[in-house]
Amino acid sequence: MFDNEEGQGPKSTFTTYMAEGDQLFQRGEYVKAVESFTTALTLQPDDKNCLVSRSRCYVKLGDAENALKDAESSLKDNKNYFKGLYQKAEALYTMGDFEFALVYYHRGHKLRPELQEFRLGIQKAQEAIDNSVGTICLPKGPSSVKLVNKGDLSFFHNGVHPQNLNPSNKKESKKHSKKTDKGEKTAKQLLGELYSDREYLKKLLQDEDLVKCKIRSGERVQDLIVGSISYLDTRMAFWQQQKPIYARQRDRKLMQQQWSKVLHKPPSDPTRYVLSSLEEIDTALSAGYTESGLNKARELMKVVKDWSEDALPNKNEVLGNLHSYIGNALMDLGNMDRALHHHEKDLELAKKCDLTDSKSRALDNIGRVYARIGKFQQAIEVWEKKLPLACGGLEKAWLFHEIGRCYLELKRYMEARDYGSRSLMAADDISDEKWQLNASVLMAQAELKLSNYKASVLHFERALERAKLLQDDSASEAIQKALCEARLRVTQ
């Protein structure tokens, strides 16, 4: 029921993928977490908890559109599902649609007034509206309205340019012109390629015949153009609020200076520089900026290779770290052959320098690559070499479980059951309920394949108890179905 006999599709259970996704999210590995939740959704496409979890990852990655889609999907069967309401509000806030976000924060607060998240959401959405949208003022003259924004200025006055509203005041006009130039410069920096689109839309507003037209749905072209410009201005204000222009320029200059020093002149403290660079690479990869992290790692590797061991005493250890980062980035990008090459280089350096932790890391990653490409026997052989190096109950529980899963894929069910038992013991030692759940499911699956139906029922029942303790409704539903199947086999 949980595995695929053809060797295609998901290789584990819904519960396992959910637990894996949660752990990756907690570690800040949002791209990998999205992959886990996506695989879980292939097993249970309409699971609302999983949809919300993936939506949270998309928000962290800045992919507001997909975050909104998942949030709305979680509300499909229950419009009052409070987690879905909160996530929809978060996605809308990320998109810069602060007014709509505020509506959903209020709706959630009405349903669950005791939750602080909705109160904070209301507060930050209201502040964003005040900071980004600005206020509407009524200048002198009949039916004249202009929008004053705290960032850039956008004027819409019956197609009349704002500078012509008061032509008699030349000083005010020059002053306004300077402000406009400064505002346009800011707009150009914030919008980037979208700036030319905004200028094109403004020119379209000057076409009197065009703006009077209507499209098939009955909407006026003028309203569509004004709405599009307004949207770009709101996004611009949002981006400016998230990170001001001066901060972007400062960061860019610092980075250019940093890499210029590295490429042309060795830093005064190579060790400190390397540690700082490794931290930047780790942050980029953890945040899902795989290409950026990969490029930084490759650049740093070029620099470190040119240094002597006198300048950097732990040079080989640093190179091993960089091979590991590059290998993981390539694995995320789907380039498994190159990923395997770099992880094997990491292992080679670890053996050469007798670095136990690095050797354990390299074996871990090599095993992951083999498992990802379906070479389960090779994954088992590599991970079994890692077993003596594993330290800590959590690492052992994970490692035993993954080896057991590989054996299950190879239809070697007795070995799968044995490793499931070892995973459960490791999880019991540290009282980790999630891995107790995963191990119990693995053992139940193995027993089911071995036709030991009573034992399978027993393990599924224990797994169900743990799922209920964790308040994991999705896991409970999946295990309940598997349990019914196992019980049916007992009676046959």
Side-chain angles (χ1 to χ4, degrees), residues 279-290:
E279 187 175 344
E280 285 182 14
I281 293 165
D282 185 66
T283 300
L285 293 177
S286 298
Y289 301 112
T290 309

Side-chain angles (χ1 to χ4, degrees), residues 1-2 10 12-15 17 38-45:
M1 161 154 249
F2 287 90
S12 193
T13 67
F14 174 84
T15 308
Y17 286 120
T38 300
T39 308
L41 285 167
T42 63
L43 296 169
Q44 295 190 39

Side-chain angles (χ1 to χ4, degrees), residues 448-460:
L448 190 64
K449 293 294 184 181
L450 290 166
S451 301
N452 297 330
Y453 302 126
K454 289 184 179 179
S456 178
V457 167
L458 181 63
H459 289 302
F460 273 131

Side-chain angles (χ1 to χ4, degrees), residues 37 47 93 133 164 236 251 285 308 377 383 393 413 441 457:
F37 291 131
D47 185 84
Y93 181 87
V133 176
N164 297 329
M236 182 171 60
D251 291 350
L285 293 177
S308 67
Q377 186 58 49
W383 277 333
Y413 303 122
V441 171
V457 167

Side-chain angles (χ1 to χ4, degrees), residues 132-184:
S132 297
V133 176
T135 56
I136 294 178
C137 307
L138 293 176
K140 295 179 181 180
S143 67
S144 298
V145 179
K146 76 176 177 182
L147 177 65
V148 181
N149 193 297
K150 293 182 181 179
D152 186 32
L153 299 180
S154 302
F155 297 86
F156 302 101
H157 178 68
N158 299 327
V160 180
H161 195 279
Q163 289 180 358
N164 297 329
L165 291 175
N166 190 6
S168 59
N169 193 337
K170 293 183 180 179
K171 290 184 180 179
E172 194 66 31
S173 178
K174 287 182 180 179
K175 185 178 178 181
H176 175 78
S177 178
K178 289 181 181 179
K179 288 183 179 179
T180 303
D181 291 341
K182 187 177 179 180
E184 288 304 305

Side-chain angles (χ1 to χ4, degrees), residues 60-323:
K60 291 289 186 182
L61 294 170
D63 188 351
E65 286 190 16
N66 278 320
L68 184 60
K69 285 179 184 176
D70 278 352
E72 288 177 336
S73 295
S74 74
L75 294 166
K76 183 172 64 176
D77 297 326
N78 180 6
K79 300 298 182 185
N80 293 327
Y81 175 49
F82 73 94
K83 291 182 181 179
L85 286 173
Y86 178 76
Q87 204 51 45
K88 184 171 182 178
E90 287 285 278
L92 289 166
Y93 181 87
T94 304
M95 295 175 78
D97 293 336
F98 306 125
E99 293 88 348
F100 286 113
L102 184 61
V103 169
Y104 285 96
Y105 284 129
H106 272 297
R107 189 173 296 178
H109 180 63
K110 187 175 180 182
L111 288 169
R112 298 293 297 270
E114 76 279 7
L115 294 179
Q116 186 181 10
E117 289 88 341
F118 288 115
R119 292 197 296 273
L120 292 174
I122 291 170
Q123 182 180 347
K124 73 178 183 182
Q126 190 61 63
E127 287 177 358
I129 291 169
D130 294 340
N131 292 336
S132 297
V133 176
T135 56
I136 294 178
C137 307
L138 293 176
K140 295 179 181 180
S143 67
S144 298
V145 179
K146 76 176 177 182
L147 177 65
V148 181
N149 193 297
K150 293 182 181 179
D152 186 32
L153 299 180
S154 302
F155 297 86
F156 302 101
H157 178 68
N158 299 327
V160 180
H161 195 279
Q163 289 180 358
N164 297 329
L165 291 175
N166 190 6
S168 59
N169 193 337
K170 293 183 180 179
K171 290 184 180 179
E172 194 66 31
S173 178
K174 287 182 180 179
K175 185 178 178 181
H176 175 78
S177 178
K178 289 181 181 179
K179 288 183 179 179
T180 303
D181 291 341
K182 187 177 179 180
E184 288 304 305
K185 185 179 179 181
T186 300
K188 193 175 293 185
Q189 290 174 309
L190 282 167
L191 290 174
E193 294 179 359
L194 292 175
Y195 179 79
S196 59
D197 296 329
R198 179 168 167 268
E199 291 301 294
Y200 177 71
L201 289 169
K202 284 186 174 182
K203 288 179 181 177
L204 289 181
L205 275 180
Q206 298 173 8
D207 189 332
E208 295 182 3
D209 293 329
L210 176 65
V211 296
K212 291 177 182 177
C213 296
K214 293 184 179 180
I215 61 175
R216 288 184 181 180
S217 62
E219 290 182 273
R220 293 191 308 164
V221 172
Q222 182 179 9
D223 293 337
L224 291 172
I225 296 172
V226 169
S228 299
I229 296 174
S230 179
Y231 172 77
L232 288 174
D233 287 338
T234 303
R235 288 301 302 163
M236 182 171 60
F238 174 69
W239 289 327
Q240 189 171 26
Q241 177 187 318
Q242 295 300 305
K243 192 167 189 180
I245 285 293
Y246 77 86
R248 296 168 189 237
Q249 293 172 334
R250 177 199 62 203
D251 291 350
R252 193 180 299 114
K253 285 179 181 177
L254 284 173
M255 187 170 289
Q256 288 172 348
Q257 290 170 3
Q258 184 183 50
W259 286 105
S260 177
K261 287 178 182 178
V262 170
L263 294 173
H264 303 293
K265 183 181 177 182
S268 57
D269 188 347
T271 302
R272 180 176 294 180
Y273 167 73
V274 166
L275 288 173
S276 174
S277 299
L278 288 174
E279 187 175 344
E280 285 182 14
I281 293 165
D282 185 66
T283 300
L285 293 177
S286 298
Y289 301 112
T290 309
E291 293 280 3
S292 174
L294 177 60
N295 291 334
K296 286 182 179 182
R298 283 172 169 166
E299 288 293 333
L300 181 59
M301 181 172 281
K302 289 178 185 176
V303 173
V304 172
K305 280 183 175 179
D306 290 338
W307 288 345
S308 67
E309 291 191 7
D310 291 334
L312 190 66
N314 59 340
K315 176 180 175 178
N316 285 327
E317 186 176 354
V318 172
L319 288 173
N321 271 282
L322 290 170
H323 279 298

